Amino acid sequence: MNQSVVLTRIDGATFAAYLIALSVIGWWAARKQAATSSGYFLASRSLPWYVVGSSFIAANISTEHFIGMVGAAVIYGICVATPEWSSVIAFTFLIWIFIPFLMSAKVFTAPEFLERRFGPTLRMFFAIVTVLVNIFGFLAPVLYGGGLALDRVLDFGDLWAGAMAGTAWQDLPNAGLYTAIVVIALAAGFWAVLGGLRSVAWMDVLTIVVKLGGGLLVTWFGLKVLSGSADSVWTGFKVMIERNQALTGVWHEAVERVRPHILPGYASYNRLSVIQPLTHETTPWSHWVLSFFYIGLWYTVINQFMIQRVLAARSLYDARMGIVFAGFLKLLLPFVVVVPGLIFFALHPEILLDGTLADIRPRADLTYINMIRDLIPVGLKGVLLAALFGAIQSTVSAVINSTSTIVTLDIYRRFFRPQLTEAASVRLGKWTAGVTLLIAIVSAFYISAMKASLFVYIQELYTFFAPPFSAIFLLGTLWRRVNGVSATITVFVGFALGILVKIGVTVGVAPLWLVPYANQGIVNWAACMVLCIVLSLLTAPPRPEQITDDLALNWQRLNLGGGLGTKWYKGVTFWWALTFLGMIFFVVVFGAIL
């Protein structure tokens, strides 16, 4: 279980071909990009729907998924697919309500929209928080997971020891992992710094194909191995389901070993249900009901590194259809990054029997690499290495580009040098991207010292930062009475409340149902909603220019903004309905049938 992945020349050639193709696309896109802030940060608002959707999901699929989510599925089961399938709910709000506002406002960034609606204080605070979350909540964990994968595949520890033989640095702890983090950061961040959003978005079209195609190979071969002599994917699927039901044998023993930590207070645990009790450690049923409101709204709508693709769409139709396409990809994603975890548990349930949960989590995060090593035939390992690199590259590129956008436009140019030229803005954006990458590398070193699940670490950060912003953005969009004072106070109080709740849980004075971080986020969001409503009623209404039709919903003249397509088979409504029905199907199968 501790051996590295052996790559043949064919694997190396496959991976090299992917890197060359990626670089050609990045170079081509960079050449066609205008040397302006709109060109560098928003691809001159020229992206078609298939690029918007591909880049939206490619930016989302990172090592949190291939490393963290697969590892979490080994421990928790199918319920970790909840954030993926429930994204369709968030996409629904984005398609039908929020995209028309963001597109008609013609803003560069989400903080710019917040300033127009609530004022400059909230813009600055949101911009600063976004930069911090981008580095510590997105970029550093992705680099850590990518370094972990690359070190596992190429054994950087041996390379380091050989290069430093005879020196005091030869036995540096974690030297292989640290080296891999630096290499993956520089390789993944190159085109984001040089080419801006246009290069990043067009490279993502290739990346998403490789990610999903390569990821499905692991699922395919894993199911064939489970089928034994039958060599049938369907037989393997049935074996996987049976063993994950964990009714007998070592599978039952393994689930019972971790059940008290995952689901305290319950005598049994169903690994094949997406509907879990309120005390579930990571995904209680409350997440399904309220995920969009307390976290999905922030992540999907006002999270700059995601929404930047929508703002760069060439039309309202391309923006909306791009998110519909992203919804279909989200329905497919659990078969790439969750089912492999179920397969690995079916093959190796003993992984849950050795050590504490803190010991199990880092080992579980190596699941995907172990499956590539053990299950994928010679010649195809290079495809999987390309998929892993693509998972890292696309997210690193997206976060670097969005961070440089925020720092340049929302902080420096807005508050310090309003007369900054277009050329100077682009130069500052490139320098900011480079500095961001260096800070994230150091932060990834720190994460490597933690004994935490990558999936849990990231999700817990999201549920702390998201609720206050989700509350004020939702209310401010749907209710014109919300003003800047009430929104700003609500955000600051929300952060203070989040800290108090964390302290209460840590010292053991919080009720059991509040221990799951998802429920902490829900409580914080609900409190912020109530506080913002009360404060809005007690303070003066906003100025007329803060509640125009492109900043807040006009209920008397409800306008969905058009851009729905001219023919039904190309229409946003038809394809969105299919994605929503697909989500319901999976919830029924994994919530009621299995």
Side-chain angles (χ1 to χ4, degrees), residues 237-249:
F237 182 80
K238 291 190 290 186
V239 172
M240 180 194 75
I241 294 297
E242 178 185 354
R243 292 182 180 179
N244 275 270
Q245 288 172 336
L247 299 177
T248 60

Side-chain angles (χ1 to χ4, degrees), residues 528-584:
C528 288
M529 290 285 288
V530 173
L531 177 62
C532 190
I533 291 172
V534 172
L535 290 175
S536 296
L537 293 173
L538 294 177
T539 53
R543 299 188 305 273
E545 65 270 21
Q546 293 180 307
I547 51 173
T548 56
D549 287 355
D550 60 346
L551 297 175
L553 191 64
N554 186 338
W555 291 95
Q556 295 179 339
R557 185 167 53 86
L558 192 61
N559 181 10
L560 297 178
L564 301 178
T566 56
K567 299 178 180 178
W568 70 268
Y569 55 86
K570 292 183 179 180
V572 171
T573 304
F574 173 72
W575 292 105
W576 162 79
L578 287 183
T579 62
F580 203 85
L581 290 173
M583 180 197 68
I584 293 173

Side-chain angles (χ1 to χ4, degrees), residues 283-354:
T283 46
W285 61 262
S286 52
H287 178 81
W288 265 112
V289 178
L290 295 169
S291 61
F292 165 74
F293 298 101
Y294 82 94
I295 189 172
L297 179 58
W298 166 79
Y299 188 87
T300 305
V301 182
I302 54 176
N303 172 14
Q304 181 65 25
F305 100 87
M306 297 293 289
I307 203 62
Q308 197 157 341
R309 282 103 183 99
V310 175
L311 297 176
R314 65 187 179 188
S315 69
L316 181 57
Y317 172 79
D318 287 286
R320 280 179 150 163
M321 200 63 181
I323 299 304
V324 171
F325 180 44
F328 275 103
L329 296 178
K330 276 289 192 179
L331 293 180
L332 176 64
L333 195 55
F335 296 96
V336 176
V337 296
V338 176
V339 172
L342 304 184
I343 294 171
F344 194 80
F345 173 80
L347 291 169
H348 300 287
E350 68 276 3
I351 191 175
L352 301 187
L353 295 173
D354 184 16

Side-chain angles (χ1 to χ4, degrees), residues 219-518:
T219 301
W220 177 272
F221 284 107
L223 292 175
K224 294 190 75 167
V225 168
L226 273 179
S227 71
S229 58
D231 196 31
S232 162
V233 171
W234 177 243
T235 300
F237 182 80
K238 291 190 290 186
V239 172
M240 180 194 75
I241 294 297
E242 178 185 354
R243 292 182 180 179
N244 275 270
Q245 288 172 336
L247 299 177
T248 60
V250 68
W251 297 277
H252 176 72
E253 182 183 354
V255 170
E256 286 301 298
R257 174 76 169 73
V258 297
R259 175 187 50 77
H261 304 284
I262 297 173
L263 198 60
Y266 283 77
S268 62
Y269 178 52
N270 183 0
R271 287 175 51 87
L272 291 178
S273 177
V274 294
I275 309 298
Q276 294 292 344
L278 196 61
T279 57
H280 191 277
E281 183 182 15
T282 61
T283 46
W285 61 262
S286 52
H287 178 81
W288 265 112
V289 178
L290 295 169
S291 61
F292 165 74
F293 298 101
Y294 82 94
I295 189 172
L297 179 58
W298 166 79
Y299 188 87
T300 305
V301 182
I302 54 176
N303 172 14
Q304 181 65 25
F305 100 87
M306 297 293 289
I307 203 62
Q308 197 157 341
R309 282 103 183 99
V310 175
L311 297 176
R314 65 187 179 188
S315 69
L316 181 57
Y317 172 79
D318 287 286
R320 280 179 150 163
M321 200 63 181
I323 299 304
V324 171
F325 180 44
F328 275 103
L329 296 178
K330 276 289 192 179
L331 293 180
L332 176 64
L333 195 55
F335 296 96
V336 176
V337 296
V338 176
V339 172
L342 304 184
I343 294 171
F344 194 80
F345 173 80
L347 291 169
H348 300 287
E350 68 276 3
I351 191 175
L352 301 187
L353 295 173
D354 184 16
T356 65
L357 198 57
D359 299 320
I360 293 169
R361 284 169 171 164
R363 294 200 304 269
D365 280 346
L366 294 172
T367 294
Y368 206 75
I369 305 301
N370 290 330
M371 293 182 75
I372 293 174
R373 182 199 65 207
D374 297 336
L375 304 180
I376 302 301
V378 171
L380 289 178
K381 287 183 171 68
V383 177
L384 271 299
L385 183 58
L388 278 172
F389 180 80
I392 301 159
Q393 171 268 323
S394 56
T395 303
V396 169
S397 298
V399 176
I400 288 175
N401 186 259
S402 67
T403 304
S404 66
T405 304
I406 294 287
V407 171
T408 302
L409 303 183
D410 289 302
I411 298 177
Y412 190 74
R413 195 164 81 175
R414 171 62 181 85
F415 292 99
F416 298 101
R417 286 195 62 185
Q419 304 304 319
L420 193 67
T421 65
E422 292 287 297
S425 296
V426 173
R427 284 197 302 271
L428 178 60
K430 291 181 178 180
W431 276 104
T432 301
V435 172
T436 298
L437 197 58
L438 290 176
I439 297 173
I441 289 171
V442 176
S443 303
F445 292 168
Y446 171 74
I447 294 175
S448 68
M450 298 169 56
K451 279 192 173 182
S453 163
L454 189 61
F455 174 80
V456 171
Y457 168 81
I458 294 173
Q459 293 296 319
E460 192 161 7
L461 280 179
Y462 292 173
T463 54
F464 175 76
F465 285 108
F469 292 118
S470 292
I472 63 107
F473 186 80
L474 180 65
L475 280 174
T477 304
L478 301 182
W479 188 34
R480 298 190 171 206
R481 189 63 176 76
V482 177
N483 56 53
V485 173
S486 61
T488 303
I489 294 174
T490 296
V491 167
F492 287 131
V493 171
F495 272 80
L497 177 61
I499 294 172
L500 290 176
V501 170
K502 291 288 183 187
I503 293 173
V505 170
T506 302
V507 300
V509 298
L512 192 62
W513 63 267
L514 196 54
V515 173
Y517 52 81

